[in-house]
Amino acid sequence: MTFPFKYRIFANYSLTMRQAKVLYKGIPSGVVSQADDGSFRFCYDPLWLADSNSPPISLVMAKREEPYTCKALFPVFFHLLPEGNNRVQLCRAFRLDLEDDFGLLLQIAKHDTIGAITIQEIEGNE
């Protein structure tokens, strides 16, 4: 029996808690997900990998089939987040904990970000 990606077990046996499509100039380039232990995983989309003209989403995250894993939100996504008072105000408005980087990313990186990357939350078994 195979499970949808949302419920697949990571190498450290954590279940995926939240995930989002990563779009590069509006084209799906991969999926970033957060496990219930707070760790993160990024996998490139197979079609993005197959296209030799599609760039990596970050200079430090070269295109590859193996997923990237990190205990904190990847810098390429973290740097899309506001800081200081802007962050405080947005967290209040969206009723998020100030330390919920991924939750804030899901709320603010949908449409207009600095650079080519936008984020679309994946809900349920999409």
Side-chain angles (χ1 to χ4, degrees):
M1 177 177 191
T2 59
F3 293 98
F5 179 77
K6 181 178 180 182
Y7 300 106
R8 289 191 188 156
I9 297 176
F10 286 27
N12 62 358
Y13 304 106
S14 296
L15 295 177
T16 300
M17 187 169 82
R18 300 184 286 187
Q19 58 184 353
K21 292 179 192 175
V22 177
L23 305 170
Y24 186 91
K25 296 184 179 178
I27 301 169
S29 60
V31 173
V32 62
S33 53
Q34 183 182 32
D36 61 354
D37 68 356
S39 64
F40 292 89
R41 175 180 168 138
F42 174 78
C43 297
Y44 276 104
D45 184 283
L47 296 175
W48 190 261
L49 287 172
D51 183 355
S52 62
N53 293 321
S54 62
I57 63 161
S58 170
L59 294 176
V60 296
M61 294 176 75
K63 289 170 52 176
R64 67 181 194 188
E65 290 184 15
E66 298 82 25
Y68 286 91
T69 57
C70 191
K71 291 184 180 186
L73 186 60
F74 297 98
V76 67
F77 304 120
F78 183 80
H79 292 295
L80 297 173
L81 299 175
E83 299 174 335
N85 193 46
N86 288 337
R87 181 186 181 101
V88 171
Q89 295 302 319
L90 286 167
C91 286
R92 281 185 190 154
F94 293 120
R95 298 176 185 236
L96 295 170
D97 185 280
L98 281 171
E99 302 300 317
D100 187 1
D101 295 332
F102 197 58
L104 186 56
L105 183 73
L106 293 174
Q107 291 297 321
I108 67 163
K110 296 175 186 178
H111 306 290
D112 188 26
T113 61
I114 295 174
I117 295 175
T118 53
I119 306 293
Q120 290 181 348
E121 185 172 9
I122 299 172
E123 297 183 21
N125 292 324
E126 282 186 41

